[in-house]
Amino acid sequence: GFLEDGILVRDARRTRRRYLGSWTFPWDVVAVLPSELLCLLPGVPRVPGVPAARANRCLRVPRLFEAFDRCETRTGWPNAFRMAKLMLYLLLGIHWHACLYFALSARLGLGADPWVCPSFSRLLRRYLHSFYISTLVLAMVGDTPAPRREEELLFLTAGFLLAVLGFATITGSISTVIINLSSAASAFYPEAGPVRRYLRARGAGGRLAGRVVRWHQHLRAQRKLPAEWRVLQHLPRGLRAEVAASVHLAALRRVGLFRSWEHGVLRQLVLRLRPQVFGPGEFVCRRGDVGREMYFIREGRLAVVAEDGVTRLAVLGEGLYFGEISLINIKGNMAGNRRTANILSIGYSDLFCLGKEDLAEVLAEFPSARAAMEAKGRELLLRMGQLDTGAEAVALAAEAEAERRLRGLEAALEGLQMRAARLLAQLEASALRMALRVRRLEGRLQ
């Protein structure tokens, strides 16, 4: 197939017509011609597979490079593919050098001196000896027989110069692969080095630096990605939503609050979630703090502790959530936007964090979801004794009164608009009658 407007076209007739009209078609035809049949002509040595007669096969090299480029961009293991390609180039280079070495040895005479290839009876033994000598030369190991003739000196010098260039190329390629591996890892996982250096520069460290290192080690060991938005930031919004939904939607549906919510709400919500990982003994939130986020427990366990920070009042597990009371405006809430409990991570906890502004945007688009969350929050406040029912009744009455006044104002405004429209129509009719009278008077005067 071929790409048309970025879409793969698989129609055989269109593909055939496009290929026959491309510049690569005549080169591919020349590359597959059986040119070795020229050896059967009179005056040509009757040796099958003469390299000079098969030189047209080298015209396939651009196709080989094109195939390598496509595989490298499509494979899931690009660095492993680069290493395999590098090893292929290395073995191919040694093979060609061994062939040249054997050709030169055959020209000078097999076994004529210690440098050339010995005259072994088996062809495989000759090839292995040639390959071994070429490996020693191109790897710059040394320990090769001393050359005796000018041709041998020139061949060995050219091999050493080629080895220097090849060694530099291989070293650069391997270093590039290593740099790509480290940069890919740093794109997913943050490094602990900068934080440790900062702590040492500020005179802190020790136990705190150990916690930082263990936190980073946990991220890598458990494959936690706290910076997912950096990975997905270049995708269009629709595709980013599909990727985020495929990764997180199953975990989000385990949250009891979202089981009855429609799919559209969860798709909007999953784009605004930020993964966060808390370590053992770390407070997620403290009682009295201003609440700006709510949390959903994806993995791990968290404890609701008393003011002493030790006594556990309850344990929260996977699929639960907390922090929503300080984000939504529940009438009669005596805590306001303050946290109502101390939440401590028992081990390493993987949470979803949702900001106040993001939650408000989602709930504004889906009033039913907002009503469900407010009902859950009101029930929780009643159990905690943090709901002032009198203030709630007053607020509801004030809201109803405001709503009644707003409807009255809307009705009055609608009446004023109707009267204004009626007056405007009367004014236009009077202007039209006046224009007709003026026209009749002008006609009489003429």
Side-chain angles (χ1 to χ4, degrees):
F2 63 94
L3 294 178
E4 186 177 66
D5 297 330
I7 301 175
L8 183 63
V9 178
R10 295 182 179 272
D11 183 57
R13 297 179 61 183
R14 295 178 59 188
T15 304
R16 186 186 308 114
R17 185 168 58 251
R18 184 176 184 272
Y19 173 63
L20 293 177
S22 64
W23 64 270
T24 57
F25 174 70
W27 289 95
D28 292 342
V29 171
V30 175
V32 299
L33 289 177
S35 56
E36 59 269 17
L37 296 179
L38 296 174
C39 299
L40 302 178
L41 296 177
V44 180
R46 302 209 186 314
V47 179
V50 175
R54 296 171 57 86
N56 62 322
R57 301 296 191 273
C58 296
L59 296 176
R60 291 184 174 182
V61 171
R63 287 295 197 182
L64 179 66
F65 290 156
E66 181 183 0
F68 281 166
D69 291 338
R70 293 195 179 187
C71 290
E72 186 174 338
T73 55
R74 286 164 173 77
T75 181
W77 306 90
N79 292 312
F81 181 80
R82 294 189 190 103
M83 291 298 298
K85 184 173 65 174
L86 182 63
M87 293 301 299
L88 174 64
Y89 288 158
L90 182 62
L91 294 176
L92 188 61
I94 296 175
H95 166 75
W96 284 347
H97 190 268
C99 293
L100 293 176
Y101 167 76
F102 182 78
L104 180 60
S105 299
R107 180 181 179 84
L108 298 178
L110 296 177
D113 57 53
W115 187 85
V116 298
C117 180
S119 56
F120 296 114
S121 59
R122 296 180 59 193
L123 183 62
L124 177 62
R125 186 69 181 272
R126 295 179 181 182
Y127 175 76
L128 292 178
H129 179 83
S130 302
F131 196 89
Y132 171 71
I133 295 296
S134 297
T135 303
L136 294 180
V137 173
L138 296 181
M140 302 181 67
V141 176
D143 197 21
T144 56
R148 304 294 179 83
R149 308 181 192 184
E150 295 178 355
E151 295 89 343
E152 297 172 355
L153 287 170
L154 290 175
F155 184 82
L156 199 60
T157 303
F160 282 142
L161 293 177
L162 185 64
V164 171
L165 178 61
F167 183 76
T169 303
I170 292 173
T171 304
S173 300
I174 294 177
S175 63
T176 302
V177 170
I178 295 174
I179 291 173
N180 290 337
L181 286 173
S182 59
S183 61
S186 61
F188 287 98
Y189 307 105
E191 293 291 338
V195 181
R196 296 176 63 184
R197 290 193 293 269
Y198 170 76
L199 291 175
R200 284 199 302 267
R202 294 297 182 181
R207 188 175 179 182
L208 184 58
R211 289 179 58 189
V212 172
V213 172
R214 287 192 297 271
W215 184 80
H216 284 86
Q217 291 175 350
H218 173 77
L219 291 185
R220 290 179 177 271
Q222 300 298 323
R223 299 183 180 272
K224 305 295 184 182
L225 305 179
E228 291 183 352
W229 61 271
R230 294 181 182 175
V231 182
L232 306 178
Q233 62 181 344
H234 299 297
L235 295 178
R237 183 176 179 84
L239 186 56
R240 188 165 66 246
E242 291 289 339
V243 173
S246 65
V247 174
H248 297 309
L249 200 57
L252 203 61
R253 287 192 180 278
R254 291 198 296 266
V255 179
L257 178 65
F258 301 137
R259 288 173 185 168
S260 60
W261 287 22
E262 54 185 281
H263 185 73
V265 187
L266 299 183
R267 283 178 55 87
Q268 293 293 326
L269 197 64
V270 77
L271 283 175
R272 295 168 168 85
L273 295 177
R274 299 191 305 274
Q276 290 188 1
V277 179
F278 292 88
E282 186 176 355
F283 277 94
V284 180
C285 61
R286 293 180 181 269
R287 182 185 178 92
D289 292 345
V290 177
R292 296 183 177 88
E293 305 93 8
M294 68 175 300
Y295 299 92
F296 309 97
I297 305 176
R298 183 182 183 185
E299 293 178 3
R301 293 188 307 151
L302 296 99
V304 182
V305 297
E307 294 297 331
D308 57 3
V310 178
T311 307
R312 295 184 183 181
L313 304 178
V315 176
L316 306 178
E318 178 183 337
L320 300 180
Y321 61 96
F322 59 93
E324 78 285 0
I325 296 177
S326 57
L327 300 188
I328 55 180
N329 185 21
I330 300 178
K331 299 171 181 62
N333 183 8
M334 299 190 314
N337 62 345
R338 301 284 179 173
R339 299 293 189 190
T340 58
N342 300 311
I343 308 295
L344 179 72
S345 178
I346 298 175
Y348 283 97
S349 303
D350 189 3
L351 309 179
F352 285 133
C353 175
L354 182 63
K356 185 174 183 177
E357 293 78 10
D358 296 328
L359 179 64
E361 290 180 6
V362 175
L363 296 182
E365 297 176 1
F366 300 94
S368 59
R370 181 183 186 87
M373 181 170 283
E374 288 181 353
K376 291 280 187 180
R378 185 179 183 280
E379 180 182 351
L380 182 59
L381 287 175
L382 278 174
R383 289 202 304 264
M384 297 171 56
Q386 293 288 329
L387 184 64
D388 188 353
T389 55
E392 181 185 19
V394 172
L396 290 174
E399 184 178 356
E401 179 65 19
E403 184 70 22
R404 186 185 63 79
R405 291 185 178 182
L406 181 61
R407 287 197 298 268
L409 290 175
E410 289 178 351
L413 180 60
E414 185 178 356
L416 290 175
Q417 289 177 345
M418 292 179 59
R419 293 180 61 186
R422 190 181 300 113
L423 291 175
L424 183 61
Q426 293 177 358
L427 179 62
E428 291 177 353
S430 300
L432 180 61
R433 288 195 299 270
M434 183 65 68
L436 292 175
R437 291 183 61 187
V438 169
R439 191 174 301 171
R440 285 197 298 269
L441 291 174
E442 287 178 351
R444 290 179 182 180
L445 291 175
Q446 290 176 357

